[in-house]
Amino acid sequence: MRPSPCAVALAAVYSAACGPAPKDSSVPTSRAISASGPTWPAEQLLPSFPPSAAVQDLITLRGQPQQWQAEGGALRHETGRLETDGWLCQVGVDVPNLHMIYGPYDTTIPAGPNEADFRLKTDDNTGADDAIVTLDVFDSTLGQTLASQVVTRRMFSIAGDYVTFSLPFTLAADTHALELRVLWTGAAYTKVDWVQVMRGPLEDELVTFASLKGVVNAKQPRIFSYEGDAFAEGPHAWLQALGLGWNEISDNWQLVTKYLSELDGIIVYDNAQPDTINLATTLAGAKHALVVAPSLVAKLTAAPYNLPVLEDFRGKFASKLAVYQTLYDTYWPTLSHRVAFGLDPLAVRAAVREYATALGAAALWLDPQVPSEAQLLDRFLSSMGAGASWMGWWPSEGPGVTEASKYGVATIASDYATNLTVHSGTPRTIHVKPIPAKPTLANKLYVAFILSDGDNLQYVEHLERKLWDNPDRGKVPMGWTLSPAMVDAMPGALDALWTTSTVNDCLLSGPSGYGYTYPNLWADAATLDQFVRKTDSYEQRAGFRVITVWNTITGGIDMNVGDSYATNAPSLLGVTAQNTGGGLTIYGNSLPGLALACNYCTGEQAMKDFIASASQGWTRATPRFLVIQAQPWMNVTPTSFMNVASSLTSDYVVVRPDHLFELLRESNGLPINPVSHYTIGASAGAHGTVSPSGSVALNQNENQAFTFTPDLGYAVGDVSVDGESVGDGPSYAFTNVTANHTLAVSFAAPGNSSKDASADVPDASSGDARVSDASGDDAPPSVSDAAVDSARPSVASQPAGCDCSVPERGNEGSLLKILALIALVGSARRRRRT
């Protein structure tokens, strides 16, 4: 899809109007990115990126394993024969104890840890458990077996269909000739489809283009990648939802040429120590460098790129631990400690690696279950401190979240989130819909369905995005868990979900607030209270009124933890707890905590069974409340909830999770819908009025519009919100109010405007600056206090035949003409503030 010339012109206006981000000299110079790069107000969880370009360069980043067909010319054979799609050996026909396949003597597999996959089938997996084949990986250069496995009959999970067996191995050096071999014993019918190695040249490119995205998008998000798998949403789903256009890039290397002026060189990692990929990722943003495998060095240092080698980590580290010890000793003191990333260097080749690069944050892969790694991990976590965030993921969920929780560090799951730089540059207005009127309380069994795992940003971006398009969504009430961190990391996506939600869609928070943590493990009460207060702030801005609190996979909520939520999160209607069937607790005499009837239901029958179990003993004399939480990875969909709901008798009422807690509160004599109250102080200068005026009281998440009426012979001179000028229009609207505000309007006679219309327009494309770690009086405003940029004109919404021209830099007269044209065609909206 290519944009119209008018869309390009309007995009240029939008970019110029936003201008560069403020510099902050307090940030280490090693974090320098660009003048229009991310800014990070002290009160924000995650940084704000510059507005994403209205037209994105769309590339595909999908790794492909090196694969060889068993019947293909690259592999050789000592026994057996070709049959349709594979190589076959049969008992009594073919010679046993010879290799069905061997080869391909490939020299492109990189050194270091790898995985070989063998796809085979047999006709019977229930007879005698005889050895059928021996699989091995052989380094032909060294004459050494790297891995071997005997496969017996019953190791096949199914008969008559292909099963994949995997062998991890480590290759000593690049360019060694690799053999993958299948030795047939003669005991059973066996057929080989293919063999493959998971790392290869295309895998190397993923890391390089992820770093290119990070470097380029730190200045302004301009590259969008599609990295989809079976759960993915398709290449255009989010671009369309966010109102962004795109240019399909046929050859990804074109973008290295296009953005070459923004690159200073390359950092080479060591295949023998793959964790050097993380060290290179940590440094790439500040150095404006590409992270490069040894296989790509020659290409990138030669014409037409001619990029110098800034760092070369080949042969410099004896172990994984040595890599991260160097990162801690040498680089960690210069990095922000507000966030670190857990990135598997072999599995996460791209995805959220681009976001880590853009932030110049530490990329680590340390396992708390390995004592030597745990010791170093604890040094990172303790120096981050309570309130910091861990992004990406962990080698193992429970131990990782547990270790971070001990230090007050919450996990924002995001390892396979692919475009957070672009998402972070979308407009920050979130149009929260009010809660519909609840049902009337009666002596019924009230059931609420919740779909789990929405705290994972990659799940929101991919599988949940697909489930959102399910045709049965909206037919029965259900809850969708999401991450409050989307307010910073994916505001446009969160707004798109709210905008397209139905009255049966309830958006709520995944575990256990703004990040995934086990609150019971927080050692310090004051830092836990701080976590909950910040969670409540983000919950309100996101429009979430329920939290699914996790303390391990099946744990309950300690009383002191529940009391902290009751005291410091007054906007909450309720919280769920993981202790299945543990009943109801009222924390602080104000906040209901209800144990889940099912923590992680895997399908329709499981949901029916848990509902039946939780309903036992009910006498119809009082209402009873059940919450069923299901997991999406086993094909639980809105259709599943609809089917379960249709199976229930008239004793049951399926309700939204927020309605369930409102009903539960009513049945326990608690305020049904506690909300916070805010005030907007509106004032007008001489020669005009504002309506309404004075102190205007609003409930949480309400909207309020103000209109300005100048006296005869006067015009609106300037409108300021919280002391910041927002223009000179005839009205202003606050949406989704979550804080106190002031609004002031001044009036001036024509020709004497208090605002100089010819003020310089900042050039968003020039200069160098930093990721601003802002604090103090000069800090940029918070999410709820920051003026939200007017909606970007959609490519599809431009009028036919629009003949817009892009102003040259510094040509403010042309800029004003285009702004006037935008107003005339009605394609720009007044700036709004939350």
Side-chain angles (χ1 to χ4, degrees), residues 363-409:
L364 312 167
W365 195 242
L366 293 167
D367 190 341
Q369 298 183 96
V370 177
S372 58
E373 295 182 24
Q375 186 176 13
L376 182 55
L377 173 63
D378 285 350
R379 296 179 71 185
F380 280 103
L381 290 171
S382 63
S383 59
M384 291 175 73
S389 298
W390 185 275
M391 297 193 71
W393 198 231
W394 297 98
S396 184
E397 175 179 342
V401 176
T402 294
E403 199 67 18
S405 298
K406 294 176 183 176
Y407 294 95
V409 175

Coordinates of all heavy atoms in Angstrom, one line a residue, residues 363-409:
A363 N 20.9 -6.1 28.1 CA 20.3 -7.3 27.6 C 21.1 -8.5 28.3 O 22.3 -8.6 28.1 CB 20.4 -7.4 26.1
L364 N 20.4 -9.3 29.1 CA 21.0 -10.4 29.9 C 20.2 -11.7 29.6 O 19.1 -11.7 29.2 CB 20.9 -10.0 31.4 CG 21.3 -8.6 31.8 CD1 20.9 -8.3 33.2 CD2 22.8 -8.4 31.6
W365 N 20.9 -12.8 30.0 CA 20.2 -14.1 30.0 C 20.9 -14.9 31.1 O 21.7 -15.8 30.9 CB 20.3 -14.8 28.7 CG 19.4 -15.9 28.5 CD1 19.7 -17.2 28.3 CD2 18.0 -15.9 28.6 NE1 18.6 -18.0 28.2 CE2 17.5 -17.2 28.4 CE3 17.0 -14.9 28.8 CZ2 16.1 -17.5 28.4 CZ3 15.7 -15.2 28.8 CH2 15.2 -16.5 28.6
L366 N 20.5 -14.6 32.3 CA 21.0 -15.3 33.5 C 20.0 -16.1 34.2 O 18.9 -15.6 34.4 CB 21.6 -14.2 34.4 CG 22.8 -13.5 33.9 CD1 23.1 -12.3 34.8 CD2 24.1 -14.4 33.9
D367 N 20.3 -17.3 34.6 CA 19.3 -18.3 35.1 C 19.4 -18.3 36.6 O 20.5 -18.7 37.2 CB 19.6 -19.6 34.5 CG 18.5 -20.6 34.9 OD1 17.7 -20.4 35.8 OD2 18.4 -21.7 34.2
P368 N 18.4 -17.9 37.4 CA 18.5 -17.9 38.8 C 18.6 -19.3 39.4 O 18.9 -19.5 40.6 CB 17.2 -17.3 39.3 CG 16.2 -17.4 38.1 CD 17.1 -17.4 36.9
Q369 N 18.4 -20.4 38.6 CA 18.5 -21.7 39.1 C 20.0 -22.3 38.9 O 20.3 -23.4 39.4 CB 17.6 -22.7 38.3 CG 16.1 -22.3 38.5 CD 15.2 -23.3 37.8 OE1 14.7 -24.2 38.4 NE2 14.9 -23.0 36.6
V370 N 20.8 -21.5 38.3 CA 22.3 -21.8 38.2 C 23.0 -21.0 39.2 O 23.0 -19.7 39.0 CB 22.8 -21.6 36.8 CG1 24.3 -21.9 36.7 CG2 22.0 -22.5 35.8
P371 N 23.6 -21.5 40.2 CA 24.2 -20.7 41.3 C 25.1 -19.6 40.9 O 25.0 -18.5 41.3 CB 24.9 -21.8 42.2 CG 24.1 -23.0 41.9 CD 23.7 -23.0 40.5
S372 N 26.0 -19.9 40.0 CA 27.0 -18.9 39.6 C 26.3 -17.7 38.8 O 26.6 -16.6 39.0 CB 28.1 -19.5 38.7 OG 27.5 -20.1 37.5
E373 N 25.3 -18.1 38.0 CA 24.5 -17.1 37.3 C 23.6 -16.3 38.2 O 23.4 -15.1 38.1 CB 23.7 -17.7 36.1 CG 24.6 -18.3 35.0 CD 23.8 -18.9 33.9 OE1 22.6 -18.4 33.7 OE2 24.3 -19.8 33.2
A374 N 23.0 -17.0 39.2 CA 22.1 -16.4 40.1 C 22.8 -15.3 40.9 O 22.3 -14.2 41.2 CB 21.5 -17.4 41.1
Q375 N 24.1 -15.5 41.3 CA 24.8 -14.6 42.1 C 25.0 -13.3 41.3 O 24.9 -12.2 41.9 CB 26.2 -15.2 42.5 CG 27.0 -14.3 43.4 CD 28.3 -15.0 43.8 OE1 28.7 -16.0 43.2 NE2 29.0 -14.4 44.8
L376 N 25.4 -13.4 40.0 CA 25.5 -12.2 39.2 C 24.2 -11.5 38.9 O 24.1 -10.3 38.9 CB 26.3 -12.5 37.9 CG 26.6 -11.4 37.0 CD1 27.4 -10.3 37.7 CD2 27.3 -11.8 35.8
L377 N 23.2 -12.3 38.7 CA 21.8 -11.8 38.4 C 21.4 -10.9 39.6 O 20.8 -9.8 39.5 CB 20.8 -12.9 38.2 CG 19.4 -12.5 38.1 CD1 19.1 -11.6 36.9 CD2 18.5 -13.8 38.0
D378 N 21.6 -11.4 40.8 CA 21.2 -10.7 42.0 C 21.9 -9.3 42.1 O 21.4 -8.4 42.6 CB 21.5 -11.5 43.3 CG 20.5 -12.6 43.5 OD1 19.5 -12.7 42.8 OD2 20.8 -13.5 44.3
R379 N 23.1 -9.3 41.6 CA 23.9 -8.0 41.7 C 23.2 -7.0 40.7 O 23.0 -5.8 41.0 CB 25.3 -8.2 41.3 CG 26.1 -9.0 42.3 CD 27.5 -9.2 41.8 NE 28.3 -8.0 42.0 CZ 29.6 -7.9 41.6 NH1 30.2 -8.9 41.0 NH2 30.2 -6.7 41.7
F380 N 22.7 -7.5 39.6 CA 22.0 -6.6 38.7 C 20.7 -6.1 39.3 O 20.3 -5.0 39.3 CB 21.7 -7.3 37.3 CG 22.8 -7.3 36.4 CD1 23.6 -8.4 36.2 CD2 23.1 -6.2 35.6 CE1 24.6 -8.5 35.3 CE2 24.2 -6.2 34.7 CZ 24.9 -7.3 34.5
L381 N 19.9 -7.1 39.8 CA 18.6 -6.8 40.4 C 18.7 -5.9 41.6 O 17.9 -4.9 41.7 CB 17.9 -8.1 40.7 CG 17.4 -9.0 39.6 CD1 16.9 -10.3 40.1 CD2 16.3 -8.3 38.8
S382 N 19.6 -6.1 42.4 CA 19.7 -5.3 43.6 C 20.1 -3.9 43.3 O 19.7 -2.9 43.9 CB 20.7 -5.9 44.6 OG 22.0 -5.9 44.1
S383 N 20.9 -3.7 42.3 CA 21.3 -2.3 41.9 C 20.2 -1.6 41.1 O 20.2 -0.4 41.0 CB 22.6 -2.3 41.1 OG 22.5 -3.1 39.9
M384 N 19.3 -2.4 40.5 CA 18.1 -1.8 39.8 C 17.2 -1.2 40.8 O 16.7 0.0 40.7 CB 17.4 -2.8 39.0 CG 18.1 -3.3 37.8 SD 17.3 -4.7 36.9 CE 15.9 -3.8 36.1
G385 N 16.9 -1.9 41.9 CA 16.1 -1.4 43.0 C 14.6 -1.5 42.7 O 14.1 -1.7 41.6
A386 N 13.8 -1.4 43.8 CA 12.4 -1.6 43.7 C 11.8 -0.5 42.8 O 12.2 0.7 42.8 CB 11.8 -1.4 45.1
G387 N 10.8 -0.9 42.0 CA 10.2 0.0 41.1 C 10.7 -0.1 39.7 O 10.1 0.4 38.7
A388 N 11.8 -0.8 39.5 CA 12.4 -1.0 38.1 C 11.6 -2.1 37.4 O 10.8 -2.9 38.1 CB 13.9 -1.3 38.2
S389 N 11.8 -2.3 36.1 CA 11.1 -3.2 35.3 C 12.1 -4.2 34.6 O 13.1 -3.8 34.2 CB 10.2 -2.6 34.3 OG 9.2 -1.7 34.9
W390 N 11.7 -5.4 34.6 CA 12.4 -6.4 33.8 C 11.5 -6.8 32.6 O 10.4 -7.2 32.7 CB 12.6 -7.7 34.6 CG 13.5 -8.7 34.0 CD1 13.0 -9.7 33.1 CD2 14.9 -8.9 34.1 NE1 14.1 -10.5 32.7 CE2 15.2 -10.0 33.3 CE3 15.9 -8.3 34.8 CZ2 16.5 -10.5 33.2 CZ3 17.2 -8.7 34.7 CH2 17.5 -9.9 33.9
M391 N 12.1 -6.6 31.4 CA 11.3 -6.9 30.2 C 11.9 -8.1 29.5 O 12.9 -8.7 29.9 CB 11.4 -5.7 29.2 CG 10.7 -4.5 29.8 SD 10.4 -3.1 28.6 CE 9.1 -3.9 27.6
G392 N 11.3 -8.6 28.4 CA 11.7 -9.8 27.8 C 11.1 -11.0 28.6 O 9.9 -11.0 28.9
W393 N 11.9 -11.9 29.0 CA 11.4 -13.1 29.8 C 12.5 -13.7 30.6 O 13.6 -13.1 30.7 CB 10.7 -14.1 28.9 CG 9.8 -15.0 29.6 CD1 9.8 -16.4 29.4 CD2 8.7 -14.7 30.5 NE1 8.8 -17.0 30.2 CE2 8.1 -16.0 30.9 CE3 8.3 -13.6 31.1 CZ2 7.1 -16.0 31.8 CZ3 7.2 -13.6 32.0 CH2 6.6 -14.9 32.3
W394 N 12.3 -14.9 31.1 CA 13.2 -15.6 32.0 C 13.5 -17.0 31.4 O 12.6 -17.6 30.7 CB 12.6 -15.8 33.4 CG 12.4 -14.5 34.1 CD1 11.3 -13.8 34.2 CD2 13.4 -13.7 34.8 NE1 11.4 -12.6 34.9 CE2 12.8 -12.6 35.3 CE3 14.8 -13.9 35.0 CZ2 13.4 -11.6 36.0 CZ3 15.4 -12.9 35.8 CH2 14.8 -11.8 36.3
P395 N 14.6 -17.6 31.8 CA 14.8 -19.0 31.4 C 13.7 -20.0 31.9 O 13.4 -20.9 31.3 CB 16.2 -19.4 32.0 CG 16.9 -18.1 32.1 CD 15.8 -17.0 32.4
S396 N 13.2 -19.6 33.1 CA 12.0 -20.4 33.6 C 11.2 -19.4 34.4 O 11.7 -18.6 35.2 CB 12.5 -21.5 34.5 OG 11.4 -22.3 35.0
E397 N 9.8 -19.4 34.2 CA 8.9 -18.4 34.7 C 9.0 -18.2 36.2 O 9.3 -17.2 36.7 CB 7.5 -18.7 34.2 CG 6.5 -17.8 34.8 CD 5.0 -18.1 34.3 OE1 4.9 -18.8 33.3 OE2 4.1 -17.7 34.9
G398 N 8.7 -19.3 36.9 CA 8.5 -19.2 38.4 C 9.8 -18.7 39.0 O 9.8 -17.7 39.8
P399 N 11.0 -19.4 38.8 CA 12.2 -18.9 39.4 C 12.6 -17.5 39.1 O 13.1 -16.7 39.9 CB 13.2 -19.9 38.9 CG 12.5 -21.1 38.6 CD 11.1 -20.6 38.1
G400 N 12.3 -17.1 37.8 CA 12.7 -15.7 37.4 C 11.8 -14.7 38.0 O 12.4 -13.7 38.6
V401 N 10.5 -14.9 38.0 CA 9.6 -13.9 38.6 C 9.8 -13.8 40.1 O 9.8 -12.8 40.7 CB 8.2 -14.2 38.3 CG1 7.2 -13.3 39.0 CG2 7.9 -14.1 36.8
T402 N 10.1 -15.0 40.7 CA 10.4 -15.1 42.2 C 11.6 -14.2 42.5 O 11.6 -13.4 43.4 CB 10.6 -16.5 42.6 OG1 9.4 -17.2 42.5 CG2 11.0 -16.6 44.0
E403 N 12.7 -14.4 41.8 CA 13.9 -13.7 42.1 C 13.8 -12.2 41.9 O 14.2 -11.4 42.8 CB 15.1 -14.2 41.2 CG 16.5 -13.9 41.7 CD 16.8 -14.7 43.0 OE1 16.1 -15.7 43.3 OE2 17.7 -14.3 43.7
A404 N 13.1 -11.8 40.9 CA 12.9 -10.4 40.7 C 12.0 -9.8 41.7 O 12.2 -8.7 42.2 CB 12.3 -10.1 39.3
S405 N 11.0 -10.5 42.1 CA 10.1 -10.1 43.2 C 10.8 -9.8 44.5 O 10.4 -8.9 45.2 CB 8.9 -11.1 43.4 OG 8.2 -11.3 42.2
K406 N 11.8 -10.5 44.8 CA 12.5 -10.3 46.0 C 13.1 -8.9 46.1 O 13.4 -8.4 47.2 CB 13.6 -11.4 46.2 CG 13.1 -12.8 46.4 CD 14.2 -13.8 46.5 CE 13.7 -15.2 46.6 NZ 14.9 -16.2 46.6
Y407 N 13.4 -8.4 44.9 CA 14.0 -7.0 44.8 C 13.0 -6.0 44.4 O 13.5 -4.8 44.2 CB 15.2 -7.1 43.9 CG 16.3 -8.0 44.3 CD1 16.4 -9.3 43.9 CD2 17.3 -7.5 45.2 CE1 17.4 -10.1 44.4 CE2 18.3 -8.3 45.7 CZ 18.4 -9.6 45.2 OH 19.4 -10.4 45.7
G408 N 11.8 -6.3 44.4 CA 10.8 -5.3 44.0 C 10.8 -4.9 42.5 O 10.4 -3.8 42.2
V409 N 11.3 -5.8 41.7 CA 11.4 -5.6 40.3 C 10.3 -6.4 39.6 O 10.2 -7.6 39.8 CB 12.7 -6.0 39.7 CG1 12.8 -5.9 38.2 CG2 13.9 -5.2 40.3

